[in-house]
Structure formats: structure tokens, C-alpha cells
Amino acid sequence: MSSASARGSVVRFVLVRLAATVVLLLAVSFVVFSLLHLTPGDPARNLLGPKPSSPEILASIRAQYHLDDPFFSQYFRWLGGVLHGDFGRSIRSDTPVTELLADRVVVTAQLAFLAFAMTVLVAVPLGIVAAVRAGSTIDRTMSVGAIIGVGAPTYAVGLILLYVFGVSLDLFPVYGSGDGGLDRLWHLVLPAVTLAFGVGALVFKLTRTAVLGELDQDYVAFAVSRGLEPRRVRTMVLRNAFIPVITSLGLVFGFLFGGTILVEVTFALQGIGSLLASSVTFKDIPVVQAITLLTAAVIALTALAVDLIYVGADPRVRARVAR
Amino acid sequence: MKRVSLTPILCAIPLGAVAVCVVGSQWLVPDAKQQDILLGVTPAGTAGHPFGTDQLGRDILQLAIAGARSAVVGPIAIALGSMLIGLLLGTFAGYFGGWVDLTLSKYADLLLALPTTLIALVVAGLVDGGYWVTVLVLVVLFSPTDIRMVRGSVLAQTTRPYIESARVLGLGRFRIMFRHILPNVLPVALATMLLNVAFALVAMSALSFLGLGVGPGEADWGRQLADGRDLLGRNSAAVILPGMLIIVTAAAINLLGDWLQERFERRAAQR
């Protein structure tokens, strides 16, 4: 196959993947919009919230939200607004949802990035060490730790960390997101450790499996028997093992973004996760719709980015795509 | 190998204790939910209250013992329900292949990509469903891993000679699937189910920590953690005890499931 047609196939793969992401997000947006109508009770009354209602007020809400229009025309009207960054008004605070989210997204994104950085810097090296020393005491201890870590509940771990480092040792602030800058970072350390704990355990396991699988390959035995320096063999192994690790890391980032709910509630952080939890309880449907759609978009886009990086990084995948 | 057989014994001790609490809580701690507002919060070590009391004057230890039931029963139901779906759909996908497999696998992929806590929170929260609706939502969200696992195991079986001979004998497809393949898949399914109980336990208490699934006055570990969050400075045992109970129970089930899975896989590999 000529390289030009191979490149054409890669471009086609990228386009198909992009189109699939758009279709997926449209489907998600449809489900998210339906939430308003799937929630038990009259949508108008749900949108009114706890304010006193009268037939006139309900009628005006019905008119304002076009609730008497056919379902699909309501959906397209809503979708049009969403594409212009308009998610409607929050029922609870009576402010535009977009305004409400603007500050909070920053906190959640910072938390997710910090936890992600910790995962990369700690879990991946430990996974490599465990695989290289497979079967040793260090490996066994860390692997048992990972089994516990994968299953450990974020909120319980968070509260215990909060007790030990926040209350008992008084090293870290107990509540809130701080005043920005370094103070913000300081407030996010414990939450990020909590978030990174479970995900880190998962990444550790994946890294260990990937490196072990690579060490098992014939080319390693061949390289060793050829008398190659151990260091060079190790570089070869790591370069190949990193491909599945990168994939998992990409997926982990999307997962972290959605997984911040519990950590934010535990540490009373003003992010979108804690906003979602309280909005669900309050039945603040426009806010719930906006956050669900936003999270889905972040997850779908990271998955897309991972696939593209994958094609870029692994010639074997490129060849498979090009077929 | 002596080291290996230590795991189930070490795991059985905490799990046995939890099981006793689940079955016998109404006799062990008949008035766990008894409030004593005048008493209020007391620290651990108070006479008669080894782990102290919470805002409503409820005994932390008794409440934790009583809370074992709602923490464990739902997750077991979730693991059973999702495995039933998994065994049925996974066997179909693995045995029939073709478009059945494609459809079911795509469905599983789609569900798998969803963040469980978020979906369960939004769906169960907006529907206002209470405990068993939450269980139902989690059954659906847990089923894709089971479908995939069963599908893989069934696929591995279909190439075996005994299936070939069953086909040659002219046995019906459903007979082959459920009488011949299924028994060989069950051991791995059992181990997966155990791991699912642990994940469901964590997910379920996460939801009750967020205020879903169990009512405000009920005894439940997640609920107890949420209530205890404000007590960190005054009676930290209100957080530590239910927190450790969730962590230890989940870890014990996980380790046991992992141990079982490895054993079954090794046995399957030896054959």
C-alpha cells in the first residue's frame, strides 16, 4: 500500500471518529433534555421550584419554556440555546446556569488536573517497579494495596485523610476551595490525593500488567540472549508498554472529571460535582442538564483525543486503521 | 502453598462479623435508632457508648451494627441481578456471534463508558426512587462488565471439542448453551460476582452518602458517614467507624474475589 493512500485512510478514520463523537453527544443531549420530562411531576411545576404557584404563574412558565410545543421542537429550541452557551436559568438561584457554572468548572478542572498529575507521577513508576520485580515482596505488597485501593470508597478515604491530616495533625485546611493561587492549590492537595488514590490503584494495575506482558514477549528474550545491555532492553520494553498506559491515562482523565462529585462533597469544595449533587436533591433540572452534558462532552472528547494519540503513537494501530 | 490459603481465612473474619450483623441486627441492637437529643454528641469512650454518640444522641456502634444490613443487602442484589443479565445476554452474544454479538457488545460498551456515580445520582435522584430503585439503576449500570466477562468465557468454550461433539450429537442450541457451556462459565462468574458485590457496596454507600437511597433516619454506613462529617472535631469515631467498616468490608470481598478468580483461572489453564 502506498503511503499516500495510507495517510488518506488515517484521515478517514479521524473524520469517522469525529462524526461518531458528534452523534454520541447529540444522543446524550437528547437523553439529557428528556430528564425534564422524565422527572416525576408536572415539568412546569418542577421548573417553578418551591415558589408559590397559581394557575397563571404555571401558565406563564408553560409559555416561557414552550412546554405546550411538541417534544421535538422543544428539544431543538433547547439544543439551539445550548449551542449558544445558554442552558436556561437555575431554579434555585435564579441566575443563568452558564454564569453559575463558570467559577465552579475552574475548581473541578484544577482538582482533576492535580489528581491526574499525581496519578501519572506516582502510579506509573510504581507499576513499572512492580512489574520489573514481579513476585518480590515489594510487588506483592503493592499489588494487595492496589486491590484494596481500587475498591476503596473515595468518600471514606477522604474523610479519614481529612481527620488525620486536617483535624489531628492540622496540616491542611479542612473545608472550602481557598482564595485562588497558591492558597487554592493548598486547599486542593488532600482532595486530589483522595481522588488519585482509587484511580492511581487502577493505573498501577494497568501499568504493571502492560509492562509484564511486554517483558514476556519473544523480542525481549531475543534481545537479552543477544547480549544487549539491560538498560537498552528496558527502554525498548517501556516504550512499547507505554501505549496501553497512555490509553488508560486518557480514559482516567474523563473518569476523574466525573468522579469529583464525591470528593467535592466530602471536602465541601465549590465545584460542579457538589453543585450537581445539591441540584439533584433540589430538582434544579436546568443545572443538572448542563452539568451532565458538560461531563459527557469532556469524557467523549478525551476518548476522542486518546484514539487520535493512539493512532499517532503506534504504527501498528496506524497500519490496522489504514487497512 | 501456605501463603495463598491465608487470604480466605483473613477475609472470612471481618466478613463473618458483618454477616452476623446483617442477619442478627434486630436482636443484637434492637434500639439502635433510639435518639437522645438531650445527650447530643459525646466523644468516643463515654460510659455506655464506646464509640460515642452523634448529634441526635444515637450510639455510633449500635447504629453501625444496624447499618450493615442496608449496606450489604442491596449490593448483593445488584451483583446477583447484573450477573443474571450478564449470563443471559453474555451467553447469547458469545454463542450466536454475528449481529447479536455486535449489538450486545456495543450496548455494553456504551454503558461502560458512563460514569456510574453520576448516572445513578441523576437518575435515582430525580426519580426520587428510594432504596430499591437505586438498586435497579445500579443493576443496569453493572451489567455491561458481566456481559463482557461471560461473553469472553463462552467464546473460549465454543471452540472446545465437547461443544463440537454436542453439536454433532444434534443437541439443541439452548441445551448446549445452558446445560453444557454455562456450568463451565459459572466458577469465573462467581468470582466476578463477588468483586461486583464490593464495587456495588462502595457505589451504594456513595449514593447514601450523597443523601440518596436511604431515608434520613435510617441506619446505613454511607448515611452515617455523611452525618458524621460535621462531627470530625467533636467525635471523630462517628466518621472513622463507618468509614473503616466500608473500607474493610470492600477490601475483604475484593481480596477474596481476586483470590477465587486466580484459583479458577489457574484450574482452567491446567485443563
Side-chain angles (χ1 to χ4, degrees):
Chain A
M1 187 190 289
S2 74
S3 87
S5 82
R7 198 170 306 133
S9 314
V10 171
V11 169
R12 199 168 58 226
F13 168 79
V14 171
L15 288 179
V16 166
R17 198 61 192 75
L18 269 174
T21 307
V22 171
V23 170
L24 179 70
L25 282 179
L26 276 177
V28 172
S29 77
F30 185 72
V31 175
V32 163
F33 173 75
S34 313
L35 284 176
L36 173 63
H37 294 270
L38 292 174
T39 306
D42 177 15
R45 199 175 283 276
N46 283 336
L47 286 169
L48 185 61
K51 281 170 263 180
S53 74
S54 68
E56 293 79 46
I57 295 175
L58 285 179
S60 82
I61 292 247
R62 298 195 81 83
Q64 187 193 335
Y65 285 90
H66 306 276
L67 289 178
D68 294 321
D69 288 7
F71 183 78
F72 277 97
S73 87
Q74 285 183 46
Y75 166 66
F76 284 117
R77 193 188 302 275
W78 176 81
L79 189 64
V82 166
L83 291 176
H84 289 95
D86 174 18
F87 284 93
R89 295 181 80 81
S90 157
I91 295 163
R92 188 163 47 153
S93 60
D94 203 31
T95 49
V97 174
T98 320
E99 218 170 89
L100 199 62
L101 288 185
D103 300 336
R104 288 177 169 257
V105 165
V106 177
V107 175
T108 301
Q110 285 171 333
L111 177 60
F113 269 112
L114 196 57
F116 184 68
M118 289 178 178
T119 307
V120 174
L121 293 178
V122 178
V124 174
L126 288 183
I128 295 172
V129 170
V132 172
R133 303 190 190 285
S136 69
T137 318
I138 309 175
D139 172 42
R140 264 206 298 268
T141 316
M142 288 200 293
S143 294
V144 169
I147 295 173
I148 296 172
V150 167
T154 328
Y155 44 95
V157 172
L159 282 172
I160 288 172
L161 285 179
L162 197 58
Y163 173 67
V164 174
F165 293 100
V167 178
S168 284
L169 299 175
D170 202 16
L171 285 174
F172 289 96
V174 174
Y175 289 122
S177 347
D179 300 325
L182 275 179
D183 189 45
R184 165 68 60 76
L185 188 67
W186 192 234
H187 275 80
L188 288 181
V189 170
L190 274 190
V193 170
T194 308
L195 192 55
F197 192 69
V199 173
L202 199 66
V203 171
F204 165 83
K205 275 180 129 180
L206 286 167
T207 309
R208 183 178 175 276
T209 314
V211 175
L212 267 183
E214 216 50 57
L215 284 172
D216 239 14
Q217 300 281 322
D218 289 340
Y219 76 83
V220 176
F222 184 60
V224 171
S225 64
R226 227 170 17 139
L228 270 177
E229 270 178 84
R231 241 205 7 244
R232 281 192 55 197
V233 177
R234 204 165 289 174
T235 322
M236 279 158 65
V237 166
L238 288 188
R239 215 167 52 200
N240 285 324
F242 268 139
I243 292 162
V245 172
I246 287 173
T247 318
S248 72
L249 282 177
L251 297 177
V252 155
F253 184 74
F255 180 82
L256 276 177
F257 200 79
T260 53
I261 304 170
L262 289 164
V263 175
E264 286 175 19
V265 171
T266 308
F267 289 90
L269 294 176
Q270 301 294 306
I272 60 164
S274 54
L275 180 65
L276 178 69
S278 60
S279 299
V280 164
T281 325
F282 196 86
K283 300 244 186 315
D284 195 343
I285 295 166
V287 178
V288 174
Q289 287 175 324
I291 296 178
T292 315
L293 197 56
L294 185 68
T295 312
V298 170
I299 293 175
L301 292 178
T302 28
L304 176 68
V306 166
D307 271 8
L308 298 187
I309 292 173
Y310 206 51
V311 171
D314 191 341
R316 285 171 302 183
V317 177
R318 219 162 30 234
R320 208 178 312 146
V321 165
R323 257 207 314 253
Chain B
M1 290 237 284
K2 258 200 178 105
R3 305 190 80 92
V4 182
S5 55
L6 207 63
T7 314
I9 301 167
L10 276 181
C11 295
I13 297 168
L15 292 182
V18 171
V20 169
C21 295
V22 171
V23 178
S25 67
Q26 68 259 52
W27 298 291
L28 280 169
V29 283
D31 35 37
K33 287 185 266 180
Q34 191 73 50
Q35 300 180 1
D36 187 350
I37 311 241
L38 289 177
L39 182 65
V41 184
T42 54
T46 310
H49 302 293
F51 286 85
T53 51
D54 67 2
Q55 299 96 320
L56 299 170
R58 293 176 297 185
D59 185 84
I60 298 295
L61 179 61
Q62 292 196 23
L63 206 59
I65 291 173
R69 182 170 299 175
S70 73
V72 169
V73 171
I76 291 174
I78 294 167
L80 276 173
S82 72
M83 188 48 80
L84 271 180
I85 297 178
L87 284 174
L88 199 68
L89 298 185
T91 307
F92 284 157
Y95 190 82
F96 288 130
W99 66 269
V100 180
D101 184 24
L102 201 70
T103 317
L104 288 172
S105 295
K106 282 278 167 240
Y107 163 77
D109 283 349
L110 188 70
L111 278 185
L112 216 57
L114 300 172
T116 314
T117 322
L118 187 135
I119 303 297
L121 172 70
V122 170
V123 175
L126 290 183
V127 174
D128 255 346
Y131 195 74
W132 291 104
V133 170
T134 313
V135 167
L136 205 67
V137 173
L138 287 178
V139 166
V140 174
L141 290 176
F142 271 69
S143 57
T145 36
D146 293 349
I147 296 178
R148 277 191 161 185
M149 189 283 298
V150 174
R151 173 186 173 273
S153 314
V154 169
L155 266 182
Q157 295 292 328
T158 45
T159 54
R160 298 277 175 98
Y162 77 93
I163 299 299
E164 190 72 24
S165 35
R167 277 199 196 122
V168 171
L169 281 173
L171 296 185
R173 288 192 294 194
F174 286 89
R175 198 185 152 96
I176 295 179
M177 271 189 266
F178 293 106
R179 291 289 294 276
H180 297 272
I181 296 182
L182 196 62
N184 286 308
V185 175
L186 275 182
V188 187
L190 188 75
T192 310
M193 215 165 76
L194 211 54
L195 293 174
N196 274 342
V197 173
F199 284 118
L201 176 94
V202 170
M204 198 77 193
S205 349
L207 291 172
S208 60
F209 176 73
L210 294 174
L212 258 80
V214 271
E218 292 303 312
D220 177 272
W221 293 346
R223 172 65 73 168
Q224 210 181 351
L225 261 184
D227 292 342
R229 214 192 60 166
D230 303 325
L231 300 181
L232 266 180
R234 289 182 287 166
N235 179 15
S236 47
V239 166
I240 308 276
L241 182 66
M244 287 312 286
L245 280 172
I246 299 175
I247 294 177
V248 169
T249 312
I253 300 174
N254 261 324
L255 287 171
L256 199 62
D258 208 66
W259 175 79
L260 263 182
Q261 203 167 35
E262 241 169 54
R263 258 181 77 104
F264 288 142
E265 271 168 12
R266 207 179 312 139
R267 197 185 301 167
Q270 275 164 5
R271 249 183 294 179

